[in-house]
Amino acid sequence: QRFVPVDFYLIPTCDLAWLVAGKAAFYIENTEVHSGTIQLSSSRKNLLSAGALKTVQLGRLNLSPIRAHGLGSQPNEEIALKWPYTPSTKPGFMQLSFHKESIKVFHEANVLYWAKALFNMTYNYIHHCITEAPEPPPFDIPQIHFVNTALMLAYAEKAEVLDQPGTPKLVPGSVTIGYLAEELIRLDDNSEFTKFIHNSDPSPFILPGEYGYQTTKFLVFTQHVQYINTGGQVYILDYQDMSCPIHFVPS
């Protein structure tokens, strides 16, 4: 086990019109920073998944002070840490240079930043239509959101000598690694992640009569809303979640 000092920058949900008007991107300079530590383990059982270009590792987050709500509001909170790596012929995962790594992490943070704004616009559109309608719809509107996510920068610990000879003091050093930290979705033995919609095919994965089809139809509807309201410029692909559709995990 090791404890690593970090700076924590929550990726907020913003108004899409505000982002478009300001050509805004997610910058840590414009985001509130929270300091804390993450607890990491090199045990293989804490490796949640390993894809072609990134891993997902279990960690524990402690912010000081803790946030009022959401991600980082609980002491010793379990989180999923996404970390990009470069393929290697050797066992294990080879770290990118921090320059290349930070480009990938900030790129993913910005994709999620805009995706959350798009999804928020979709719900604003739905609520506007319901308000203008003469009567409420004869069905429930699914309540879905992306997982809460933060960009985290981890710092090296370097030893400095105190007044007493031979006594080291650990202080934050230079930034060594960047993570995307997500709220952890625990799956029971009967649950699994579900991909609702293809990356490049308009046909949903879930077929009529299968569990989750109603959610899939709603997600297809959100794509139409996003496409029409952005003048055909953008919509969200690759919706996936666990079998109980409460969150979305950015891929």
Side-chain angles (χ1 to χ4, degrees):
Q1 300 284 342
R2 60 192 180 98
F3 294 86
V4 180
V6 295
D7 282 342
F8 172 102
Y9 303 89
L10 186 72
I11 300 174
T13 300
C14 297
D15 180 77
L16 182 64
W18 179 81
L19 292 187
V20 172
K23 298 181 174 60
F26 177 74
Y27 293 113
I28 59 175
E29 292 83 359
N30 302 328
T31 307
E32 184 179 6
V33 59
H34 301 267
S35 296
T37 61
I38 50 173
Q39 181 181 347
L40 300 173
S41 171
S42 58
S43 172
R44 295 288 296 183
K45 69 179 182 180
N46 287 331
L47 183 64
L48 302 178
S49 67
L53 297 173
K54 63 187 172 188
T55 67
V56 183
Q57 179 182 1
L58 177 67
R60 292 182 180 274
L61 173 67
N62 282 285
L63 296 182
S64 180
I66 61 174
R67 299 183 64 247
H69 54 81
L71 191 64
S73 62
Q74 301 294 326
N76 210 32
E77 181 177 0
E78 288 189 328
I79 56 173
L81 293 168
K82 286 187 174 180
W83 174 68
Y85 69 93
T86 184
S88 172
T89 57
K90 299 179 180 179
F93 306 101
M94 183 178 295
Q95 184 175 356
L96 297 163
S97 68
F98 180 70
H99 174 70
K100 292 181 179 179
E101 180 183 86
S102 61
I103 290 175
K104 290 181 177 292
V105 171
F106 274 85
H107 174 76
E108 285 211 29
N110 269 286
V111 169
L112 180 57
Y113 185 56
W114 280 83
K116 291 177 71 173
L118 272 169
F119 210 65
N120 183 58
M121 177 273 292
T122 306
Y123 271 103
N124 288 341
Y125 175 83
I126 292 171
H127 295 153
H128 171 75
C129 291
I130 291 176
T131 301
E132 296 295 317
E135 57 186 36
F139 50 82
D140 294 329
I141 304 297
Q143 298 301 311
I144 301 170
H145 68 87
F146 281 98
V147 291
N148 291 314
T149 306
L151 187 147
M152 287 201 315
L153 300 178
Y155 289 81
E157 293 179 330
K158 64 179 181 180
E160 287 187 352
V161 178
L162 297 177
D163 294 336
Q164 298 177 352
T167 304
K169 177 184 179 182
L170 296 179
V171 298
S174 57
V175 178
T176 59
I177 192 169
Y179 294 104
L180 283 183
E182 298 177 354
E183 60 178 303
L184 184 66
I185 301 177
R186 282 291 187 185
L187 301 178
D188 58 37
D189 293 338
N190 298 319
S191 298
E192 60 182 14
F193 276 93
T194 301
K195 185 184 286 288
F196 291 98
I197 298 176
H198 291 266
N199 287 359
S200 57
D201 189 321
S203 302
F205 268 108
I206 311 299
L207 300 177
E210 294 181 347
Y211 180 79
Y213 180 67
Q214 295 301 318
T215 299
T216 304
K217 287 203 302 182
F218 175 74
L219 295 176
V220 171
F221 163 76
T222 68
Q223 289 183 319
H224 282 274
V225 172
Q226 293 156 14
Y227 185 82
I228 292 170
N229 280 275
T230 61
Q233 296 184 74
V234 63
Y235 59 93
I236 300 172
L237 289 173
D238 202 22
Y239 283 123
Q240 55 186 318
D241 185 23
M242 61 183 186
S243 57
C244 179
I246 301 174
H247 315 73
F248 282 122
V249 180
S251 62

